[in-house]
Amino acid sequence: EPYMHLIQGQSFGGERPLFGIQDTRLENVTIMEGESGIKCCRNIEMENCHFIGKYPLWHVDKSIVSNCHFEVSARSAIWYSDMMTMRNSVIDAPKFFREMKDLSLEQVLINDADETFWNIDGLRLKDVTMHQGTYPFMNSRNIYVDGLKCDSLYVFQYCKEVEVHHAEIVTKDSFWECENVT
C-alpha cells in the first residue's frame, strides 16, 4: 500500500488544479468553478468532498469516492476512469459515468440520471436510487444490481450480461436489444 498524501479542507478552482496527482487522499475538499479539477490521476481517495466545476474526474483510475456531493454544475463528471468505488454519495448532475471499467456504487442517490452509465464494462450497484433522465446504462455490459429504485426512461438499452435483483424500475421501453438478462 503506497503512502497516501493528504489534502484536507481546501478549495481548488480554475482549470486542472489537481492534474496528475497520485496516491492522494482528499478530505473535505471543494472543487470550485472551472474544468477538469482532478484529471489524469491514480490511486485517489475522496471523503466528504464537494464538486461544483464541470468534468471533475476524468481519467482517474483506482479511486474511492465516499460521502461526496456533485452539484448540477458538475456535469459529465466521471468519464474514462477505471476501478472506481463510490459510496454514500449524492449526484445532482447529468451524464455521469462514461467509458469505464470496474465501477461499483453503494448507497448512491442520482437525481438526474440522464445519459448515465454509458459504455461501462463491469458495473455493480447496491442500493442505488436513480431519478429522471433518459437512456441510463446504454451499451453497458457485465452488470450486477442488488437494490435499485429507478424512474428514468429507456433503462438498459443495448446491454449484455445483466443480472438484476431487488429492483423497482418504473419506466418505458426497458431492456431493448439486450442479451443474457436475469
Side-chain angles (χ1 to χ4, degrees):
E1 185 73 21
Y3 169 78
M4 296 292 278
H5 177 71
L6 178 63
I7 299 174
Q8 198 171 30
Q10 296 185 47
S11 295
F12 298 91
E15 190 159 332
R16 301 181 183 155
L18 296 174
F19 184 88
I21 61 172
Q22 295 186 35
D23 305 322
T24 302
R25 180 171 171 82
L26 306 173
E27 292 180 1
N28 301 303
V29 167
T30 300
I31 301 299
M32 305 295 292
E33 294 284 330
E35 194 171 302
S36 300
I38 302 168
K39 187 172 183 178
C40 295
C41 300
R42 182 167 183 81
N43 197 27
I44 308 296
E45 294 179 7
M46 291 154 268
E47 175 80 27
N48 291 316
C49 294
H50 190 84
F51 297 90
I52 300 168
K54 60 186 171 185
Y55 326 135
L57 297 166
W58 278 32
H59 301 280
V60 177
D61 290 340
K62 199 173 176 213
S63 62
I64 300 172
V65 180
S66 302
N67 302 300
C68 292
H69 180 231
F70 294 83
E71 290 196 11
V72 172
S73 53
R75 61 186 297 111
S76 306
I78 302 175
W79 291 21
Y80 318 112
S81 298
D82 297 340
M83 298 172 288
M84 173 179 282
T85 298
M86 180 182 283
R87 296 183 194 101
N88 305 312
S89 294
V90 176
I91 297 169
D92 291 328
K95 300 185 180 183
F96 246 74
F97 306 114
R98 295 257 183 110
E99 304 285 341
M100 298 173 66
K101 290 181 182 163
D102 301 322
L103 172 62
S104 177
L105 275 72
E106 184 173 350
Q107 293 284 332
V108 174
L109 171 61
I110 302 172
N111 285 312
D112 185 352
D114 196 44
E115 299 180 15
T116 291
F117 300 122
W118 278 21
N119 300 307
I120 309 296
D121 185 358
L123 175 61
R124 298 184 65 80
L125 302 183
K126 180 158 179 59
D127 300 326
V128 170
T129 300
M130 299 170 60
H131 293 298
Q132 307 303 312
T134 57
Y135 298 105
F137 305 102
M138 177 80 86
N139 289 314
S140 289
R141 61 188 312 127
N142 300 313
I143 302 167
Y144 180 85
V145 175
D146 183 8
L148 173 65
K149 290 183 180 173
C150 180
D151 60 27
S152 304
L153 298 178
Y154 320 119
V155 179
F156 296 106
Q157 304 278 319
Y158 305 100
C159 294
K160 294 180 182 173
E161 311 300 329
V162 181
E163 186 175 343
V164 180
H165 301 270
H166 308 103
E168 181 182 312
I169 300 170
V170 179
T171 187
K172 57 180 163 179
D173 296 338
S174 60
F175 297 101
W176 273 57
E177 298 291 329
C178 286
E179 296 177 19
N180 299 324
V181 176
T182 304

